[in-house]
């Protein structure tokens, strides 16, 4: 089976940097994705790592180490609007397109 | 280009009634996925469809739940004889990915929040 582990909650100060970790177990690996979801809203795609290393998209970066089965999402220059839940996700271990999501990390940004 | 559309946004049903949730994917997308989310939890995959075909329904409960994606019209998730435990947010997503494309960015609709009384 597949499993993803993330911290359940993280609190950080506006303007700071925060890192949200994700470790995964899956027999077939096809990359790690990150999604953001505000309360009552729909998940929105943030980032994808298919290969080891860092992917940068503005204030958000994502990192993957396949040998460690580990990735993280890095949020810089935190803003109040970044308060949301962040989910890591992998594709089904068979290679099918459907996603398997972690339980999510609730980020609270405080002034 | 309109995003993924879902309706209704909120649906209230009494136990034993039927719930029909509709999803129109983004224009040009032929892959549709349904996920369920309980409060304070992550999204759980239910079913993956392409036009007129169910590709993977391994996440669907064996009874009372069914899904379709007809040649014309939206995808429908149907829950018969609803029970209180069916109360959740149901999200539809669509993607453009062709076979072998690994990024598979999925675009989510706003969800249907089902409440069973």
């Amino acid at each position: 089976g597949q499993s993803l582990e993330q911290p359940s909650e993280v609190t950080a100060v506006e303007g700071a940097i925060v890192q949200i970790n994700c470790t995964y177990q899956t027999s077939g690996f096809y990359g790690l994705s990150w999604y953001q979801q505000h309360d009552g809203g729909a998940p929105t795609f943030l980032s994808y790592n298919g290969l080891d290393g860092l992917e940068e998209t503005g204030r958000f970066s994502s990192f993957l180490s396949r040998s460690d089965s580990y990735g993280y999402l890095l949020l810089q220059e935190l803003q109040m609007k970044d308060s949301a839940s962040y989910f890591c996700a992998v594709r089904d271990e068979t290679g099918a397109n459907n996603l398997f999501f972690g339980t999510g990390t609730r980020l609270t940004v405080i002034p | 280009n309109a995003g993924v559309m879902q309706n209704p946004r909120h649906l209230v049903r009494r136990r034993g009634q039927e719930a029909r949730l509709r999803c129109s994917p983004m224009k040009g997308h032929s892959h549709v996925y349904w996920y369920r989310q309980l409060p304070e939890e992550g999204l759980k995959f239910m079913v993956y469809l392409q036009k007129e075909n169910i590709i993977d329904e391994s996440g669907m409960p064996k009874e009372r739940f069914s899904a379709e994606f007809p040649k014309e019209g939206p995808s429908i998730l149907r829950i018969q004889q609803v029970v209180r435990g069916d109360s959740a947010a149901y999200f539809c997503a669509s993607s453009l990915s062709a076979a072998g494309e690994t990024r598979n960015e999925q675009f989510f609709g706003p969800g249907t929040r089902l409440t069973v009384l």
Side-chain angles (χ1 to χ4, degrees):
Chain A
Q2 295 177 289
S3 68
L4 291 161
E5 286 196 20
Q6 312 177 229
S8 57
E9 293 181 342
V10 172
T11 300
V13 178
E14 191 176 14
I17 299 172
V18 72
Q19 177 174 317
I20 298 173
N21 299 322
C22 173
T23 56
Y24 59 85
Q25 280 189 308
T26 178
S27 58
F29 181 72
Y30 301 89
L32 186 70
S33 298
W34 289 91
Y35 284 77
Q36 178 192 60
Q37 186 181 29
H38 286 96
D39 283 347
T44 56
F45 175 84
L46 288 178
S47 187
Y48 169 82
N49 294 75
L51 300 173
D52 292 349
L54 193 68
E55 292 285 338
E56 297 181 75
T57 310
R59 294 188 298 114
F60 294 179
S61 304
S62 58
F63 172 82
L64 175 67
S65 169
R66 287 174 295 173
S67 60
D68 296 321
S69 299
Y70 162 76
Y72 65 72
L73 179 69
L74 192 74
L75 296 84
Q76 303 182 65
E77 300 172 19
L78 280 173
Q79 301 175 9
M80 299 298 290
K81 67 178 183 179
D82 296 330
S83 292
S85 291
Y86 292 85
F87 296 90
C88 56
V90 293
R91 277 176 62 171
D92 186 272
E93 57 194 353
T94 66
N97 287 343
N98 48 288
L99 292 172
F100 183 89
F101 283 85
T103 51
T105 298
R106 188 173 191 85
L107 171 65
T108 302
V109 180
I110 57 176
Chain B
N1 188 11
V4 178
M5 312 270 286
Q6 288 188 251
N7 67 81
R9 296 289 303 275
H10 299 274
L11 182 62
V12 179
R13 285 286 178 266
R14 296 191 180 280
R15 282 179 296 169
Q17 291 184 317
E18 178 180 287
R20 277 185 180 241
L21 288 63
R22 285 174 289 277
C23 168
S24 296
M26 283 183 71
K27 188 175 181 181
H29 286 192
S30 59
H31 302 250
V32 166
Y33 317 83
W34 286 92
Y35 296 88
R36 177 163 63 177
Q37 186 175 37
L38 294 170
E40 308 300 323
E41 292 189 11
L43 295 100
K44 296 284 194 286
F45 166 72
M46 299 181 74
V47 61
Y48 163 32
L49 310 103
Q50 292 182 30
K51 282 288 187 182
E52 300 185 272
N53 289 305
I54 295 175
I55 306 302
D56 184 346
E57 56 182 349
S58 58
M60 286 266 275
K62 294 288 186 285
E63 297 178 349
R64 303 188 298 109
F65 285 72
S66 62
E68 62 177 10
F69 189 15
K71 187 177 180 181
E72 301 291 337
S75 175
I76 306 285
L77 179 68
R78 183 181 177 207
I79 312 172
Q80 295 179 290
Q81 299 171 3
V82 296
V83 301
R84 289 219 174 108
D86 297 333
S87 295
Y90 292 83
F91 288 96
C92 167
S94 72
S95 73
L96 186 57
S97 64
E101 197 271 333
T102 55
R103 178 182 167 105
N104 187 33
E105 179 177 346
Q106 294 190 8
F107 296 82
F108 283 79
T112 294
R113 277 141 186 90
L114 172 66
T115 301
V116 179
L117 302 177

